[in-house]
């Protein structure tokens, strides 16, 4: 929990959809990000009210580390 800072959600989605061939989907409920690729591959980032953090799957964590490594946004490395 808390790996992906709230301020990076939209940049992370932009990275996945424009550079990694993922497609955006409509978010539902507490979802902050919902992207998919091929049959059955999807990444969802949820918002937990307590303690106000983001939560994602292992695939989401792996893709976020890919984002940190290959993104042109150097300030993405620094969390608040």
């Amino acid at each position: 929990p808390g790996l992906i800072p709230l301020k990076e959600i939209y940049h992370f989605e932009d990275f996945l959809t424009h550079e990694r061939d993922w497609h955006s989907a409509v978010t539902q409920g507490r979802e902050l990000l919902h992207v998919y690729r091929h049959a059955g591959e999807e990444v969802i980032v949820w918002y937990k009210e307590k303690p106000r953090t983001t939560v994602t799957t292992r695939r989401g964590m792996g893709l976020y580390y890919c984002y940190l490594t290959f993104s042109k946004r150097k300030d993405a490395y620094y969390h608040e």
Side-chain angles (χ1 to χ4, degrees), residues 18-76:
H18 289 99
E19 296 184 31
R20 297 290 181 237
D21 197 33
W22 288 78
H23 306 283
S24 294
V26 176
T27 57
Q28 300 175 10
R30 295 182 190 264
E31 295 177 352
L32 297 173
L33 168 75
H34 190 151
V35 293
Y36 66 93
R37 183 175 74 173
H38 307 299
E41 284 186 279
E42 64 181 355
V43 171
I44 301 174
V45 177
W46 297 274
Y47 178 71
K48 277 183 97 171
E49 287 185 21
K50 295 180 183 177
R52 295 185 181 206
T53 58
T54 57
V55 179
T56 189
T57 60
R58 288 178 189 237
R59 179 179 288 139
M61 288 185 257
L63 286 171
Y64 188 69
Y65 283 119
C66 176
Y67 164 72
L68 290 177
T69 303
F70 298 108
S71 172
K72 294 175 181 70
R73 287 180 46 86
K74 297 304 177 194
D75 60 336

Side-chain angles (χ1 to χ4, degrees), residues 5-15 17 32-33 67:
L6 291 173
K7 69 178 186 172
E8 286 298 315
I9 293 289
Y10 298 110
H11 298 291
F12 180 42
E13 180 179 18
D14 186 55
F15 173 77
T17 56
L32 297 173
L33 168 75
Y67 164 72

Side-chain angles (χ1 to χ4, degrees), residues 2-5 7-8 64 68 75-80:
L3 172 69
I4 305 171
K7 69 178 186 172
E8 286 298 315
Y64 188 69
L68 290 177
D75 60 336
Y77 287 102
Y78 303 104
H79 296 324
E80 290 182 12

